[in-house]
Amino acid sequence: MINDYRLKWIICVFVIMGNFLGMLDSSAVQLALYPISEGLKISLSQVQWVIIAYMLVLTVLLPFFGKLGDIFPKNKIFSIGFLIFGLGALCNCFAPTFYILIIFRCIEAIGASILLANGPAAIASLFKGEDRGKALGLNASLVAVGGLSGPAIGGAFIHFFGWRTLFLPSVPFAILGAIVAYKIFPSVNRKKENLKFDYKGFLYFSIALCALLLAISEGHSWGWKSLKIISLGTLTLLFGGLFYFRDKKINYPMINFKMFKIKPFTYGNIAVMTSYMTMFTNAILLPLFLQQIMKYNAFITGLLILPYSVASCIVAPFAGSLSGKYGSRILTLIGPSIYIISLIIFTTFNTHTQMWQIIAASFIMGCGNGCFQSPSNNAILTSVKKSELGIASGILSLARNMGNILGVAITITLFDSFLHNNLADKMQYTNAFLNSYHLTMCFGILFGIICLLCAFIAYKPQTNKN
């Protein structure tokens, strides 16, 4: 155990930097899809895989790397994660073809998965009580800032320097992170009996999750009743069932299903997942609204998204510290309530909406995220044994990324369906867009209500003492 208080916070900063880079990169390319398609001479339907492939690889590997984080020394795990991420980011800048770019994005996603799966567990093992809540709050806020400020940063790089430069800033930070991680992170090995890993279960899990996420990502374009989607659904059920029954009976499961008997852990993860579904309902459609209806360019659109990140970054550390002192219940109820209020505001947007209204609504949404994420993460991780922090951290990151992907897939499906129906009814495009936007926001409000209910069930009104 590290006793130097200052050294703990140095380690914490670099752990958070890894998490930030992973989420920043996954979202920064959202505004780069069109210039990438132009530069590599591919269709917009193809270029979507620049995001989908990254998120699939990152998400599928989270539990695996969470388990490895419980087995191998933290300095080696994080150093390798930074190096792989940096290598993938550098290669992206020089990818000559679309398919090679996809391969490089997958390499980058492997590094990001290592960093994201082990970040919260590393922080939770370093701190206790109020400091743990503060550190987890800072981590949660910057992970969210990375995810939601990506389009803003991406818009600036694309506008001034071109899409290939989008990946360059991550490279020096990744190299620095690898060096620092190897030199100062804990280097303690676990006992030999902890080295077992369920590789067969991991294979079952990977196939099931890949099939599920692929179906979710492509269902709106392939058709939900198509043979491809039905086949993917069958694969999901088959291999998901094989994984569940295997991991339930072996002594060294990849995911310990007994953990889901813990109410704060189970409902907390559902709440985290639905919170991201709530946020990404608007995160996907707001840039479209700003560019197609309000006619702002990519750079201005990116800047208008920043208030969300600023608010989240300001509020989250305070919320994390308060949750370490007084418990998570109140804050995890306030957060979803603010989500709902902000989405109600977004349902009023039209062609006459002013910039200050967009900024205010985004800022309010960011305050909700800051209130919710860090106390929720704190409560989830303090509800499990210390020896299972790595697995719990991996599952938490899995819930977060599932929320991202589900939010994107469901939002696009609903919006496209509403827009198609409105245009079929001969509605003018602007009115059809606004009507579809408002209806889709209503589903975001529904996700927010589910998040609120799960948080109400999950967290007791008392301080966790793990």
Side-chain angles (χ1 to χ4, degrees):
M1 182 69 184
I2 298 173
N3 295 317
D4 189 310
Y5 187 74
R6 187 170 57 179
L7 182 60
K8 287 182 180 181
W9 278 104
I10 292 173
I11 293 172
C12 178
V13 166
F14 277 90
V15 169
I16 291 172
M17 184 179 76
N19 293 345
F20 174 80
L21 290 175
M23 288 306 296
L24 176 70
D25 189 88
S26 69
S27 62
V29 296
Q30 289 177 16
L31 293 183
L33 295 183
Y34 180 72
I36 290 174
S37 70
E38 289 287 298
L40 297 179
K41 309 300 182 191
I42 55 175
S43 68
L44 287 175
S45 61
Q46 285 178 294
V47 81
Q48 290 179 15
W49 282 96
V50 174
I51 293 177
I52 294 171
Y54 181 94
M55 290 303 297
L56 278 173
V57 172
L58 186 152
T59 304
V60 165
L61 292 176
L62 284 171
F64 174 66
F65 289 129
K67 178 64 176 180
L68 290 188
D70 285 338
I71 296 174
F72 295 106
K74 296 295 183 190
N75 66 330
K76 293 180 180 178
I77 284 287
F78 276 93
S79 185
I80 290 170
F82 275 116
L83 284 175
I84 294 174
F85 181 83
L87 175 64
L90 180 62
C91 290
N92 287 336
C93 302
F94 305 101
T97 68
F98 168 66
Y99 294 105
I100 292 177
L101 177 61
I102 295 300
I103 292 171
F104 290 157
R105 286 285 288 168
C106 290
I107 292 171
E108 190 181 19
I110 292 171
S113 188
I114 294 172
L115 299 173
L116 286 169
N118 289 282
I123 293 170
S125 66
L126 287 170
F127 300 99
K128 292 182 179 179
E130 184 179 350
D131 284 338
R132 177 186 282 183
K134 192 182 296 182
L136 286 170
L138 186 60
N139 178 65
S141 77
L142 289 182
V143 166
V145 168
L148 272 295
S149 66
I153 296 172
F157 271 88
I158 294 163
H159 185 74
F160 293 110
F161 307 112
W163 72 265
R164 290 185 181 274
T165 63
L166 187 64
F167 306 100
L168 277 178
S170 297
V171 177
F173 286 107
I175 294 171
L176 177 63
I179 295 170
V180 172
Y182 190 79
K183 289 186 174 295
I184 71 171
F185 279 33
S187 57
V188 180
N189 280 294
R190 291 299 181 99
K191 294 180 180 180
K192 196 74 177 177
E193 59 265 25
N194 289 330
L195 296 178
K196 291 182 178 180
F197 184 76
D198 181 20
Y199 294 100
K200 188 178 288 187
F202 171 67
L203 178 63
Y204 294 158
F205 176 83
S206 299
I207 293 173
L209 193 56
C210 271
L212 174 63
L213 296 183
L214 185 58
I216 291 169
S217 300
E218 293 298 321
H220 67 283
S221 58
W222 290 347
W224 293 104
K225 295 180 181 179
S226 67
L227 181 60
K228 289 180 181 179
I229 297 300
I230 292 171
S231 299
L232 288 171
T234 303
L235 282 175
T236 300
L237 292 174
L238 175 61
F239 284 95
L242 288 172
F243 170 72
Y244 174 76
F245 289 112
R246 175 176 173 78
D247 264 35
K248 202 175 178 184
K249 68 181 181 181
I250 64 174
N251 295 323
Y252 49 97
M254 191 179 84
I255 294 177
N256 186 354
F257 284 99
K258 292 180 181 177
M259 293 169 67
F260 289 96
K261 294 180 180 178
I262 304 169
K263 187 185 288 185
F265 182 82
T266 301
Y267 284 96
N269 274 291
I270 296 172
V272 167
M273 184 178 74
T274 50
S275 75
Y276 275 83
M277 291 172 69
T278 305
M279 290 185 293
F280 271 76
T281 302
N282 187 63
I284 293 299
L285 295 185
L286 183 59
L288 292 177
F289 168 77
L290 295 176
Q291 292 179 84
Q292 290 194 30
I293 304 302
M294 304 304 291
K295 305 301 181 184
Y296 296 130
N297 63 38
F299 180 55
I300 298 298
T301 297
L303 290 179
L304 289 173
I305 295 172
L306 276 179
Y308 172 96
S309 303
V310 172
S312 180
C313 193
I314 292 171
V315 173
F318 293 103
S321 180
L322 289 172
S323 72
K325 274 184 177 181
Y326 306 112
S328 300
R329 184 178 177 84
I330 298 298
L331 289 165
T332 53
L333 296 179
I334 291 173
S337 300
I338 295 176
Y339 291 154
I340 294 167
I341 292 169
S342 61
L343 287 176
I344 290 172
I345 295 172
F346 282 118
T347 62
T348 67
F349 280 15
N350 54 45
T351 53
H352 302 295
T353 299
Q354 301 296 310
M355 271 193 178
W356 71 265
Q357 293 173 302
I358 299 167
I359 292 169
S362 296
F363 189 87
I364 292 170
M365 177 72 88
C367 290
N369 182 66
C371 282
F372 178 79
Q373 296 298 334
S374 48
S376 182
N377 289 355
N378 190 14
I380 289 168
L381 293 176
T382 54
S383 70
V384 303
K385 297 176 183 177
K386 206 164 190 176
S387 61
E388 294 178 327
L389 276 173
I391 299 175
S393 175
I395 294 172
L396 176 58
S397 294
L398 176 65
R400 183 165 52 235
N401 283 281
M402 284 292 290
N404 291 348
I405 296 173
L406 284 168
V408 171
I410 293 173
T411 297
I412 291 173
T413 300
L414 289 170
F415 180 77
D416 279 352
S417 176
F418 293 143
L419 186 61
H420 176 78
N421 291 337
N422 287 331
L423 291 174
D425 292 337
K426 308 297 183 183
M427 191 179 290
Q428 190 221 5
Y429 182 80
T430 298
N431 292 334
F433 183 103
L434 290 172
N435 184 262
S436 304
Y437 178 70
H438 296 156
L439 285 172
T440 308
M441 287 300 103
C442 292
F443 281 85
I445 293 169
L446 177 62
F447 300 147
I449 292 171
I450 295 171
C451 176
L452 180 63
L453 292 174
C454 288
F456 181 81
I457 296 169
Y459 309 122
K460 295 179 180 179
Q462 62 187 48
T463 305
N464 293 296
K465 298 178 181 180
N466 189 27

